[in-house]
């Protein structure tokens, strides 16, 4: 390690959605702010990574994208080649980039071996160089029985035991345990470090601009299905409540997300034209100003949206999905149990009166901060502290080698 220029490599497979990318980006942006000579490189398959603003000393390598089909199989996003060929290209780029970049820390997001094992050769190569290998997990992975079957099938346990040095859980201890019900090899649980959730802030480019006011002086509810690919039902449910309302409602700004199916997005835009108090935005890479200026938020319960809700401390209604994973539903249930928000189960869709009732009560609800949960939003600070410790340990080890030499 060069003491003047430490380096961190982050892998995010990003087969679909925004969650992985925005989580990795938040960590990278925070770290370069805390360490003045640190460089962070993100490996990502996201097709929209270039739409986001990055701080100096944060960059990315875009690997060929893939998408997950409803049957669980993957297919190339753009290339007209078979999936095995695409994955071989991705794996080669990942390994070669890691060897040339020579990171002091390698953080793998969520998938211990990467997409279909594509990161395993890189983990094995970097283990030999002394790079600190870190697996980063969101607070909830999936229903324990489903995750156990998935990890058994993917044979991830040897990597957890023998390759990874640490496992960071991006949430506070006591609300969710992402490895609940998993029979882990000896010593693996000792590697877990709970960080707290990852705080989000207004980007610098937005701090000096006027706050967005889609309805002039009127307060509004922000509706966000995250990436939007699986948010059609939630958005439709909200719009039905406005179309058939029986009670006054705050205006609604709906940000559909970049992965909302085009046909659905077009239909929602047409329906909104007939509603004086519903506005539609297709996608914005800077949703934070809208979150900050909103009176309340309606979201689905993905990790990224959840962190934004907590960061901007708004009364929140969650409408979590339950397929193909129960991750959002588990997170929402635990959050409601801890007094952070309210949940409207998606199995009550499409009852417009039920949604209208929930939207009417939403602005008067207590914000998440009133729940008094300890270490709720300390994730970025905890990660920064741990990175500093790792870099100091590596520097001391290098100094010892020089003395012995």
């Amino acid at each position: 390690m060069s003491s003047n220029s430490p380096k961190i490599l982050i892998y995010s497979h990003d087969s679909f959605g925004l969650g992985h990318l925005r989580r990795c980006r938040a960590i990278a942006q925070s770290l370069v702010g805390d360490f003045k000579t640190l460089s962070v490189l993100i490996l990502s398959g996201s097709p929209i990574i270039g739409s986001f603003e990055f701080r100096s000393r944060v960059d990315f390598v875009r690997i060929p994208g893939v998408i997950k089909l409803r049957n669980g199989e993957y297919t190339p996003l753009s290339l007209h080649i078979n999936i095995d060929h695409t994955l071989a290209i991705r794996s080669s780029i990942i390994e070669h980039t890691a060897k040339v970049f020579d990171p002091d820390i390698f953080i793998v997001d969520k998938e211990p071996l990467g997409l279909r094992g594509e990161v395993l050769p890189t983990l094995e190569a970097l283990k030999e160089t002394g790079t600190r290998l870190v697996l980063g997990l969101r607070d909830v992975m999936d229903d324990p029985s489903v995750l156990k079957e998935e990890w058994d099938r993917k044979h991830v346990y040897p990597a957890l035991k023998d390759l990874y040095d640490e496992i960071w859980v991006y949430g506070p201890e006591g609300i969710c345990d992402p490895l609940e019900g998993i029979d882990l090899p000896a010593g693996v649980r000792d590697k877990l470090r709970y960080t707290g959730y990852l705080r989000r802030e207004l980007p610098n480019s937005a701090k000096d601009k006027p706050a967005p006011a889609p309805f002039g002086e009127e307060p509004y509810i922000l509706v966000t299905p995250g990436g939007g690919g699986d948010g059609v039902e939630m958005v439709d449910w909200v719009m039905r409540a406005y179309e058939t309302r029986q009670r006054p409602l705050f205006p609604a700004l709906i940000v559909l997300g970049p992965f909302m199916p085009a046909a659905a997005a077009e239909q929602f835009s047409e329906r909104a034209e007939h509603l004086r108090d519903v506005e539609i935005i297709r996608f914005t890479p800077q949703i934070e100003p809208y979150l900050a200026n909103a009176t309340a938020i309606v979201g689905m319960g993905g990790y990224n949206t959840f962190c934004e809700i907590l960061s901007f401390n708004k009364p929140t209604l969650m409408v979590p999905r339950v397929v193909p994973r129960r991750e959002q539903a588990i997170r929402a249930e635990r959050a409601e149990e801890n007094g952070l928000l309210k949940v409207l189960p998606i199995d009550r869709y499409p009852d417009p009166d039920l949604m209208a009732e929930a939207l009417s009560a939403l602005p008067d609800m207590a914000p998440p901060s009133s729940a008094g949960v300890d270490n709720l939003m300390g994730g970025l600070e905890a990660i920064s502290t741990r990175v500093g410790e790792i870099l100091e340990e590596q520097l001391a080890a290098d100094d010892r080698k020089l003395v012995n030499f």
Side-chain angles (χ1 to χ4, degrees):
M1 184 190 78
S2 168
S3 60
N4 293 323
S5 56
K7 302 183 293 292
I8 295 179
L9 183 65
I10 301 178
Y11 162 85
S12 172
H13 74 280
D14 284 306
S15 61
F16 190 64
L18 291 174
H20 306 291
L21 169 60
R22 297 192 75 167
R23 179 165 56 244
C24 294
R25 175 177 172 268
I27 293 170
Q29 305 274 78
S30 176
L31 286 173
V32 297
D34 290 340
F35 297 91
K36 300 307 179 186
T37 60
L38 176 70
S39 293
V40 181
L41 185 62
I42 300 174
L43 291 157
S44 173
S46 172
I48 62 168
I49 188 169
S51 301
F52 288 89
E53 175 185 294
F54 290 91
R55 297 181 66 164
S56 176
R57 291 180 286 113
V58 178
D59 210 337
F60 62 89
V61 172
R62 165 81 160 83
I63 55 179
V66 298
I67 55 174
K68 191 173 186 178
L69 304 175
R70 286 192 174 273
N71 63 5
E73 295 298 315
Y74 289 93
T75 189
L77 176 63
S78 300
L79 299 175
H80 287 188
I81 59 177
N82 67 47
I83 187 61
D84 292 332
H85 193 181
T86 301
L87 291 170
I89 294 171
R90 286 169 56 106
S91 182
S92 177
I93 293 172
I94 293 165
E95 184 174 6
H96 186 70
T97 300
K99 288 180 177 178
V100 175
F101 189 59
D102 189 23
D104 301 291
I105 303 172
F106 181 36
I107 303 173
V108 174
D109 186 71
K110 181 185 172 291
E111 291 287 344
L113 304 181
L115 186 63
R116 284 200 180 177
E118 66 183 1
V119 172
L120 181 58
T122 302
L123 290 170
E124 293 172 337
L126 291 180
K127 189 69 174 179
E128 298 299 317
T129 69
T131 297
R132 188 66 59 97
L133 304 179
V134 176
L135 175 63
L137 300 179
R138 63 192 182 210
D139 59 337
V140 181
M141 295 290 285
D142 202 346
D143 183 272
S145 62
V146 175
L147 181 63
K148 182 181 184 304
E149 186 279 328
E150 179 182 327
W151 277 15
D152 286 346
R153 174 169 42 84
K154 293 180 177 179
H155 305 291
V156 306
Y157 302 110
L160 299 181
K161 180 176 183 293
D162 301 323
L163 293 178
Y164 282 105
D165 300 297
E166 302 182 14
I167 301 173
W168 297 348
V169 179
Y170 302 135
E173 190 169 9
I175 294 183
C176 301
D177 175 2
L179 302 184
E180 179 182 357
I182 305 296
D183 186 16
L184 297 168
V188 171
R189 276 211 168 265
D190 295 335
K191 300 180 181 183
L192 263 64
R193 293 174 177 266
Y194 286 85
T195 67
Y197 290 113
L198 308 180
R199 185 179 300 279
R200 308 302 164 86
E201 297 179 346
L202 285 175
N204 290 331
S205 61
K207 289 179 179 178
D208 297 326
K209 295 181 180 178
F215 302 95
E217 297 298 319
E218 287 190 81
Y220 64 90
I221 294 172
L222 178 68
V223 181
T224 168
D230 52 5
V232 172
E233 287 184 342
M234 187 197 78
V235 173
D236 178 62
W237 200 358
V238 170
M239 295 201 72
R240 285 171 185 252
Y242 279 87
E243 289 167 338
T244 64
R245 88 188 95 195
Q246 302 296 319
R247 65 187 73 214
L249 298 174
F250 278 36
L253 175 66
I254 305 176
V255 181
L256 298 177
F259 302 115
M260 174 75 67
E266 184 176 350
Q267 289 176 4
F268 289 141
S269 296
E270 291 175 356
R271 288 165 66 181
E273 290 178 1
H274 302 285
L275 298 168
R276 62 171 180 79
D277 49 2
V278 175
E279 294 288 337
I280 298 282
I281 295 178
R282 185 69 169 89
F283 168 62
T284 173
Q286 287 193 357
I287 197 172
E288 294 89 351
Y290 296 96
L291 290 159
N293 205 39
T295 296
I297 299 170
V298 179
M300 289 181 61
Y303 180 87
N304 183 66
T305 299
F306 187 53
C307 286
E308 292 169 339
I309 287 164
L310 298 179
S311 298
F312 292 99
N313 199 31
K314 306 292 182 177
T316 298
L317 176 68
M318 270 194 176
V319 188
R321 72 181 184 194
V322 293
V323 292
R325 295 182 180 272
R326 290 199 67 250
E327 167 225 342
Q328 292 188 4
I330 295 170
R331 178 178 297 112
E333 290 163 7
R334 300 289 174 82
E336 187 173 44
E337 289 169 3
N338 283 272
L340 295 169
L341 46 78
K342 292 294 183 182
V343 175
L344 188 58
I346 193 65
D347 61 10
R348 305 296 298 276
Y349 168 81
D351 184 339
D353 293 335
L354 187 62
M355 175 58 79
E357 181 180 354
L359 292 173
S360 177
L362 179 57
D364 294 324
M365 283 170 36
S369 61
S370 66
V373 177
D374 291 336
N375 189 36
L376 189 63
M377 300 304 297
L380 294 176
E381 292 81 2
I383 291 170
S384 179
T385 297
R386 184 57 192 147
V387 165
E389 293 170 349
I390 292 171
L391 296 179
E392 287 294 332
E393 292 168 6
Q394 292 178 329
L395 184 58
D398 287 346
D399 289 344
R400 286 194 297 271
K401 288 179 183 178
L402 288 174
V403 170
N404 293 334
F405 181 79

